[in-house]
Amino acid sequence: MNEVESSVREREIYKVTLVGSLVNILLVACKFAAGFWGKSAAMIADAVHSLSDLITDLIVIVFVRISSKPEDKDHDYGHGKYETLATLLIGAALLAVGVGICWSGVESIVLFFRGETLQSPGWIALVAAIISIVSKEILFHYTRIVGKRYNSPAVIANAWHHRSDAFSSIGTAIGIGGAILLGDNWRVLDPLAAVIVSVFIVQVAVKQLKSCVDELLERSLPDEIEQEITKIVLSVDGVSQPHHLRTRRIGSHYAMDMHVRMDGNISLHEAHEKVTAIERKLREAFGANTYISIHAEPEK
């Protein structure tokens, strides 16, 4: 990835994150107002969830700028792990929100079965939930497209955070709608739906956290990628037996270290040219910022 491509990537990530932040600001204000005026505890909880989205947007803005910095004296492999750290923080926030929603919903369900009458929400809360579902689902698709296009785990994680907010709002809409339309005996639908939705939120959070832990623990790239690396290496004439292949991910970039065999009678210049050809093909396949270390050995 050259300087121009890196600049475009950073600008597009900022743009999608800024759009998400502006939408979240509006939704937080709208949901809190609807929650208080509509006397809906579920909507207030949903507003807190949107507030967590806003916080994670700020995390992405800060950490993507840091992760885009080039290599320096103290960071030979660049700053890509800062983006991994951002993804980890987003996943942790997502997990905390999911557990919090579940806890609050279970408490309300217990109170209902103890005979307490749950508060009836107003129509304004239902309207706010529907607006949230539509806007957050649109944000999810837009953010995920940008994240995949620029291979940014943090942006993709943020996209799933948008969808988790949409899921939360679906549960909120079902609960509020049921309480309004079906009467007092069905008000338990509100917290019950919140608990069900929280399970999906926790699943997404665990998936994001697992990918971060794998990267921080230097887990190898998937088998299909390593097989593609081997195929590319063998496509260079005069190169054979790639071995001791070690791979890992650094933020949005790949790093790979390997040994290859060549004819021991060729000149050092020719061996260097073959290694350069391998590096060029690998960077064409996996990105200009791929970290590559190749050790040439004579054929036995």
Side-chain angles (χ1 to χ4, degrees), residues 5-281:
E5 291 173 333
S6 179
S7 177
V8 171
R9 177 181 186 272
E10 186 176 344
R11 185 171 65 249
E12 288 301 312
I13 288 176
Y14 282 150
K15 178 182 175 182
V16 69
T17 307
L18 181 61
V19 169
S21 298
L22 293 175
V23 172
N24 281 331
I25 290 172
L26 293 174
L27 282 178
V28 167
C30 176
K31 288 181 178 182
F32 272 121
F36 284 113
W37 289 340
K39 298 179 181 180
S40 172
M43 180 51 63
I44 293 175
D46 208 21
V48 174
H49 190 195
S50 292
L51 183 60
S52 75
D53 259 359
L54 181 58
I55 294 172
T56 56
D57 285 342
L58 298 177
I59 291 174
V60 171
I61 289 174
V62 172
F63 280 87
V64 166
R65 175 174 290 275
I66 296 174
S67 69
S68 299
K69 293 171 61 178
E71 300 89 342
D72 56 32
K73 182 176 179 296
D74 297 320
H75 301 84
D76 293 332
Y77 289 91
H79 300 75
K81 286 291 178 71
Y82 283 98
E83 191 165 342
T84 306
L85 178 59
T87 308
L88 183 67
L89 293 175
I90 293 172
L94 198 58
L95 180 62
V97 169
V99 172
I101 292 174
C102 182
W103 183 271
S104 177
V106 169
E107 283 187 329
S108 296
I109 293 171
V110 170
L111 290 175
F112 176 82
F113 283 107
R114 284 180 178 175
E116 293 192 25
T117 301
L118 301 182
Q119 201 170 30
S120 177
W123 280 99
I124 188 173
L126 180 59
V127 172
I130 294 173
I131 292 174
S132 177
I133 293 168
V134 175
S135 60
K136 297 301 285 188
E137 186 65 15
I138 292 173
L139 265 183
F140 163 72
H141 288 286
Y142 172 44
T143 306
R144 188 176 63 165
I145 288 172
V146 173
K148 287 188 173 182
R149 180 183 302 160
Y150 296 102
N151 195 22
S152 173
V155 174
I156 293 173
N158 209 26
W160 280 104
H161 207 161
H162 288 317
R163 170 156 277 188
S164 75
D165 206 4
F167 284 161
S168 178
S169 295
I170 289 173
T172 302
I174 292 173
I176 294 173
I180 293 174
L181 300 174
L182 301 178
D184 295 351
N185 292 334
W186 291 94
R187 290 180 186 177
V188 73
L189 287 176
D190 186 351
L192 182 60
V195 170
I196 295 173
V197 170
S198 70
V199 174
F200 292 101
I201 296 174
V202 169
Q203 285 180 337
V204 171
V206 170
K207 181 179 179 181
Q208 297 294 343
L209 290 172
K210 182 180 181 300
S211 66
C212 291
V213 171
D214 286 344
E215 184 174 337
L216 292 174
L217 294 179
E218 305 283 310
R219 181 170 182 174
S220 301
L221 296 175
D223 289 341
E224 57 269 22
I225 294 179
E226 292 196 344
Q227 290 171 5
E228 185 177 355
I229 292 172
T230 300
K231 183 178 179 181
I232 291 172
V233 171
L234 293 174
S235 70
V236 177
D237 186 48
V239 177
S240 64
Q241 301 178 47
H243 56 288
H244 291 168
L245 175 61
R246 293 182 294 178
T247 62
R248 59 192 171 116
R249 185 173 186 132
I250 304 176
S252 57
H253 310 307
Y254 292 158
M256 53 194 73
D257 187 305
M258 73 192 79
H259 291 229
V260 298
R261 297 195 188 281
M262 303 179 189
D263 185 352
N265 295 318
I266 64 175
S267 66
L268 181 62
H269 174 74
E270 190 175 351
H272 175 72
E273 288 296 313
K274 291 183 183 298
V275 168
T276 301
I278 296 172
E279 292 176 344
R280 183 180 65 253
K281 288 192 172 187

